[in-house]
Amino acid sequence: MTGEMFLELGKYRGLLGMLAWRDIRVRYKQSVMGVLWAFMMPLIQAVVLWSIFKFGGADMAKKVSDPYFLFVLSGVIPWTFFASGVGMSIESLTRNSRLVTKIYFPREVFPLGSVVASLVDFGIAMTVFIPVYIYFLITASKDVHLTPMLLLIPVVLIIEILFVAGLSLILSMSNLFFRDVKYIMTFVLQLWFFATNVMYPIKFEHYPALQWIPAVNPMIPIIESFRDCFMGRPLQNATGLLISAIIALVTFFAGWTAFHKAEFKFAEYV
């Protein structure tokens, strides 16, 4: 069953690419800076967070061993991909209601197209990250090292892609049946951001009652592993990344299976 779904999606890979490209064009349509926003937004967000937590009375730089700006930027970029991929895909079915009711093709292409579009933005943002990374590699050689750990980054990225894709399938389908989902997820993503280690480490060493948060938030080990790879050190939470990988796989295959089974009902709800 799963193999058949992959083969079917493969036949429509051209449509998937077209939808992803359309999402990118629509996002930056009539924008003066256009696609430059994909370069600028992660950098602007990182600068704002760095300024607040560096000079705003809560010096987080003292709580991390990494150069703090690099710490924040290396968290902002994978988080932006996650939030953008999930956020854009929620309304992907309702936004394409006319196509959903026409000739048959796998409807998975709509949420997955949104994920691919966000992945393109991730790639663009990485072109901003690399010069910053090289700067700190040269100037902060005691804290940042170039090691073979960089080769593990594609593995961490695949885990995140699977998790984002799985959530996108589940949420786009749910939003088709219950339109409240998009409003709920706007609030959930805001809370999720603060419960993730984008701008500060999440340990809860002094708050035992909150130590369950890192265990149920797959994004914490994912972002932490991105940082470890870029800083050139062994994974500090390899077990957490393995758990995140399992959660990502379960989310992806469960989401795809549920999406495929409910697909015949979509035309009734668009």
Side-chain angles (χ1 to χ4, degrees):
M1 184 68 174
T2 302
E4 292 176 4
M5 290 191 293
F6 273 110
L7 288 173
E8 185 179 34
L9 185 63
K11 293 178 183 177
Y12 291 90
R13 60 187 180 276
L15 178 60
L16 177 63
M18 184 190 72
L19 290 171
W21 176 240
R22 188 198 62 180
D23 283 349
I24 293 171
R25 285 188 301 167
V26 168
R27 191 185 314 179
Y28 301 115
K29 187 178 180 181
Q30 296 180 332
S31 169
V32 175
M33 291 181 63
V35 76
L36 283 176
W37 282 114
F39 291 91
M40 297 302 298
M41 286 307 296
L43 190 60
I44 292 170
Q45 188 176 3
V47 169
V48 170
L49 293 174
W50 171 76
S51 301
I52 292 172
F53 286 92
K54 175 70 176 176
F55 304 109
D59 191 353
M60 288 293 171
K62 295 178 180 178
K63 299 183 179 181
V64 299
S65 59
D66 307 327
Y68 188 59
F69 184 75
L70 190 60
F71 177 91
V72 173
L73 188 60
S74 61
V76 164
I77 292 176
W79 171 262
T80 301
F81 165 55
F82 169 76
S84 174
V86 171
M88 284 179 58
S89 65
I90 290 175
E91 294 186 89
S92 59
L93 291 175
T94 55
R95 196 167 54 237
N96 294 284
S97 57
R98 292 184 179 179
L99 290 175
V100 170
T101 56
K102 293 187 177 181
I103 60 172
Y104 176 78
F105 53 86
R107 271 48 176 176
E108 297 96 316
V109 296
F110 294 117
L112 294 181
S114 296
V115 175
V116 171
S118 297
L119 187 60
V120 171
D121 280 348
F122 174 87
I124 293 172
M126 285 303 296
T127 65
V128 176
F129 176 83
I130 290 172
V132 176
Y133 175 68
I134 292 173
Y135 168 78
F136 282 103
L137 191 63
I138 295 171
T139 61
S141 56
K142 292 183 180 179
D143 302 308
V144 186
H145 307 281
L146 195 63
T147 73
M149 287 299 296
L150 284 175
L151 300 175
L152 194 61
I153 289 174
V155 176
V156 181
L157 179 58
I158 288 171
I159 294 172
E160 184 175 7
I161 291 171
L162 287 172
F163 185 52
V164 173
L167 283 180
S168 298
L169 290 165
I170 293 169
L171 293 171
S172 60
M173 173 185 64
S174 301
N175 186 66
L176 188 63
F177 299 141
F178 307 101
R179 303 302 167 93
D180 310 73
V181 171
K182 64 181 178 182
Y183 303 111
I184 294 171
M185 283 308 300
T186 299
F187 178 65
V188 168
L189 285 172
Q190 290 176 345
L191 289 181
W192 204 331
F193 173 77
F194 290 105
T196 305
N197 51 342
V198 175
M199 51 192 171
Y200 39 65
I202 294 195
K203 302 293 183 183
F204 297 118
E205 295 173 351
H206 304 296
Y207 302 95
L210 297 177
Q211 289 183 354
W212 57 271
I213 293 178
V216 299
N217 183 355
M219 287 305 298
I220 292 178
I222 288 172
I223 290 177
E224 191 173 22
S225 298
F226 269 114
R227 288 196 179 110
D228 290 339
C229 292
F230 281 117
M231 301 305 168
R233 57 179 174 245
L235 296 181
Q236 299 180 76
N237 190 7
T239 302
L241 183 63
L242 178 60
I243 293 171
S244 293
I246 293 170
I247 292 174
L249 282 169
V250 170
T251 302
F252 178 72
F253 286 108
W256 201 341
T257 301
F259 189 99
H260 195 73
K261 287 183 177 180
E263 198 171 3
F264 73 96
K265 297 180 180 179
F266 289 176
E268 301 174 24
Y269 288 86
V270 292

